[in-house]
Amino acid sequence: MAASDRTPDAIIVGAGLSGLVAASELVDAGRRVLILDQEPAASLGGQAHWSFGGLFLVDSPEQRRMGIRDSLELASEDWAGTAGFDREEDEWGRRWAEAYLEFAAGEKRDWLHGKGVRFFPVVGWAERGDGRALGHGNSVPRFHITWGTGPGVLAPFVARVKAGEAAGLVEFRHRHRVDELIVEGGAVVGARGAVLADDDAERGAPSNRDVVGEFEVRAPAVVVACGGIGGNHELVRQFWPERLGTPPAELLSGVPAHVDGRMLQITADAGARLVNGDRMWHYVEGIQNWDPIWPLHGIRILPGPSSLWFDATGSRLPAPLFPGFDTLGTLEHLVATGYGHSWFVLTQKIIEKEFALSGSEQNPDLTGKDLKLLAQRLGSGAPAPVEAFKEHGADFIVADTLDELLAEMGRRSPDVELDTANIAREVLAHDRALENDFGKDAQLAAVRGARASRGDKLIRVAAPHRFVDPANGPLIAVKLHLLTRKSLGGIQTDLSSRALGADGEPVPGLYAVGEAAGFGGGGVHGYRALEGTFLGGCLFSGRAAGRAIAAG
C-alpha cells in the first residue's frame, strides 16, 4: 500500500536538514511520514545544501591531532560568554544549550561518523572573540568542515528518507504551501493550504506562487521545519533590534527568497509561542555574487585575521574588531557609522591563504571530495572561486600601488567622503610595525598568536608582511556589505522539540525544529553564535523531534 493511501504518523512542513533528520528518525522507527514543501523537488535539503558544512565539535579526534586541547567545561564557558542569556524566555534556550554542548562533546561525532560523515583534518577557528577570556568567542578552533560541505551533511539523511520513500513509509509533496495548521480540541491535527503550479526553477532560484489547487492533510503530529526570515528583508527590518542601530538601506541576501518566515506566524496562530525575534545573525563580510542564483544574492567571505578593516569613511575598525573575531560586535559598530558598507585592504598573499567563500558551490574541491583540486590550495594563487570573484566581482579592486588602489576606492564610493589619506597612514603604520616581532598593534599580535595554532599556520593565516612591498602584491580592496542570514529566535520548544504555548505547556501534536525553533528552545544561541552550531542545531533538534514522535 502506498504511503499516500494511509494516514501518516507525522507531517513535516519543510524539506530542509532539520525536517529530513526528523523524517529519517521516524523512518528508522518504521513510522509513516508526509513531507510538505512549497518549493520544487530541486530544492530538497533547503539552506543546508548551500552551506560550507561547518560543525561545532568539542574535544574531537581532529582537534587532538592538531594539538588543540578542548573540553566540555571550556566550551560551556565560551557558550555562556557568547550567548549572554538574560531573559525569562531564555530558560529553554539555556537548557537546549546545555544539552547541545553535551551532544557536541559526546555522541555527535560518532553518530554522524556512523552515517558516513567525514571531516577535513584541519579544524577552523571561527568567531575568535572579543578579547576577554569570559567573553564572546571560541577559545580554541572548533569549526569542523564536513568532507562534502553542506551536501555531505545532508547526504545520509536524504538517502535514508529516500529509502523510506521507496519502502512506502515516506511521501513527498512538493509545491504544497501550508497556509494553516488545523487545530481541534486544542491539539494540532493537520495542515491545509495551497497547491502551487509546477516549476522547473533550479535549486535556490525563485519559483512561482500560482495556486492551482487546495489540500488538507491530517496526522497526530506536525513538525514545523520551515527555516527563518533571512530572505524576507521586510521581516528582518521589522524585528531588527534597537541595540544594533538602524539597518542599512541596502542588504544582500545570504539565503534564497523562499526563506521568508511566513510559517512562524502561522504556527503562532495555532498556539505556539514565538520568542527572541529580535535576535538575529547577519554577516558584515558580504559581497555581491557575480553569478547570482536568487535575488540580491550575496556570498560571505570567511576571512583570516590579516586584512586591514576600514569603515565607509576610511577609519580603521578598533580592536578587537578584526576579521573573523566578533560578527555582531562589528555589525553594531559599522551600522553606527550610518553607512551600509566597509572595506578590507589586503594583499595577494593574504587573499591566497586567508580568503574562503562560504557556500558549497564556492568550494568545489571540498564539496566534490576532490583531493587533486584540494591540493591546489597549498600551491600559489587563491582558490579558483576566489580568483573568479577577484576578476568578475563588482566589489573587488586590484592595483599595483597604494595610490591607485585608494583612488579607485574613492570612485567606488561616490556618495561617501572616503579619507584615503588616513587609509594610507594606517597601511604604512602597519608595515612599520613589522620591523619588530612585537609592538602595540593588537591586530598584528592577534595574527602572530593565530599562527601558533597548527591549522592556522598551515593553511589559514598568512605570515605578517609589508603591504606596500610589490613582492607581496598586487594590493586588493574589497567593498563589504551586510548580508542577511540567520534567525536566532523562533518557536519555543522543550527538549523533545514540542512547541510550547503561552502558558509554557506543550501544544498537543505540534513540534518545531531547526531555525524555526531558534535551533532549539526558541533561542539556543542567545544573542550570539560560536559558528558551526546552525547545522548542528538542525541535526540535534530534528533528531529530538523524530525520536519523541516515534516514542509516542
Side-chain angles (χ1 to χ4, degrees), residues 310 402 406 419-432:
F310 298 91
L402 186 57
L406 295 174
D419 190 346
T420 56
N422 184 65
I423 298 175
R425 284 193 299 270
E426 290 283 6
V427 171
L428 295 176
H430 165 276
D431 287 3
R432 278 193 299 270

Side-chain angles (χ1 to χ4, degrees), residues 157-506:
F157 303 103
V158 171
R160 188 72 186 100
V161 175
K162 287 289 189 179
E165 182 182 31
L169 291 174
V170 175
E171 180 185 0
F172 285 98
R173 293 191 192 176
H174 296 284
R175 307 299 288 153
H176 281 59
R177 184 188 69 200
V178 173
D179 296 325
E180 179 187 357
L181 296 178
I182 302 169
V183 181
E184 294 179 355
V188 173
V189 298
R192 59 172 65 100
V195 180
L196 305 179
D198 289 340
D199 198 308
D200 60 0
E202 64 176 314
R203 180 187 291 275
S207 59
N208 73 69
R209 294 293 179 263
D210 301 334
V211 176
V212 296
E214 298 177 346
F215 73 91
E216 178 175 314
V217 289
R218 292 176 176 253
V222 176
V223 182
V224 175
C226 58
I229 67 172
N232 185 336
H233 291 185
E234 182 179 344
L235 278 184
V236 169
R237 295 180 188 282
Q238 177 183 331
F239 289 108
W240 189 277
E242 289 186 12
R243 65 182 178 275
L244 293 181
T246 302
E250 296 181 359
L251 301 168
L252 295 180
S253 287
V255 294
H258 64 251
V259 186
D260 56 15
R262 64 184 302 278
M263 270 302 299
L264 294 175
Q265 187 57 52
I266 291 169
T267 308
D269 292 342
R273 184 189 188 195
L274 302 182
V275 295
N276 301 317
D278 64 325
R279 292 178 180 169
M280 49 187 69
W281 189 255
H282 305 307
Y283 292 112
V284 285
E285 312 97 339
I287 52 176
Q288 301 170 77
N289 193 343
W290 64 273
D291 187 19
I293 297 172
W294 54 80
L296 299 173
H297 188 174
I299 298 293
R300 184 203 175 194
I301 295 171
L302 300 171
S306 299
S307 297
L308 297 182
W309 205 339
F310 298 91
D311 68 22
T313 68
S315 294
R316 188 175 173 188
L317 271 58
L321 302 182
F322 311 134
F325 275 63
D326 184 352
T327 294
L328 290 194
T330 307
L331 185 153
E332 183 175 359
H333 176 86
L334 291 174
V335 169
T337 69
Y339 299 101
H341 70 272
S342 62
W343 292 94
F344 276 167
V345 172
L346 60 146
T347 66
Q348 179 66 23
K349 279 193 174 180
I350 291 173
I351 202 172
E352 288 180 1
K353 196 158 189 177
E354 297 196 8
F355 266 40
L357 300 174
S358 181
S360 55
E361 81 284 9
Q362 301 298 332
N363 295 274
D365 50 355
L366 293 165
T367 302
K369 303 180 182 181
D370 188 328
L371 291 172
K372 184 177 180 180
L373 191 58
L374 180 65
Q376 295 179 12
R377 291 192 183 230
L378 300 178
S380 61
V386 175
E387 287 290 348
F389 266 89
K390 198 178 82 173
E391 179 180 353
H392 303 293
D395 297 313
F396 282 72
I397 301 170
V398 181
D400 291 326
T401 69
L402 186 57
D403 286 344
E404 292 172 333
L405 188 81
L406 295 174
E408 184 59 27
M409 289 172 68
R411 283 191 285 270
R412 299 282 184 97
S413 300
D415 299 327
V416 183
E417 187 175 346
L418 182 66
D419 190 346
T420 56
N422 184 65
I423 298 175
R425 284 193 299 270
E426 290 283 6
V427 171
L428 295 176
H430 165 276
D431 287 3
R432 278 193 299 270
L434 293 173
E435 293 175 6
N436 293 291
D437 292 333
F438 48 86
K440 66 180 182 181
D441 189 308
Q443 184 170 358
L444 277 175
V447 169
R448 289 170 173 138
R451 284 176 59 81
S453 166
R454 193 177 303 165
D456 274 351
K457 186 173 184 178
L458 180 65
I459 66 168
R460 191 65 174 128
V461 180
H465 58 272
R466 296 176 68 243
F467 278 34
V468 297
D469 185 343
N472 300 320
L475 288 163
I476 301 166
V478 186
K479 191 175 184 180
L480 306 170
H481 310 268
L482 186 60
L483 179 75
T484 63
R485 187 62 66 86
K486 297 296 182 185
S487 312
L488 299 187
I491 302 161
Q492 193 168 50
T493 58
D494 66 11
L495 291 178
S496 295
S497 289
R498 296 182 297 179
L500 304 178
D503 59 359
E505 294 298 315

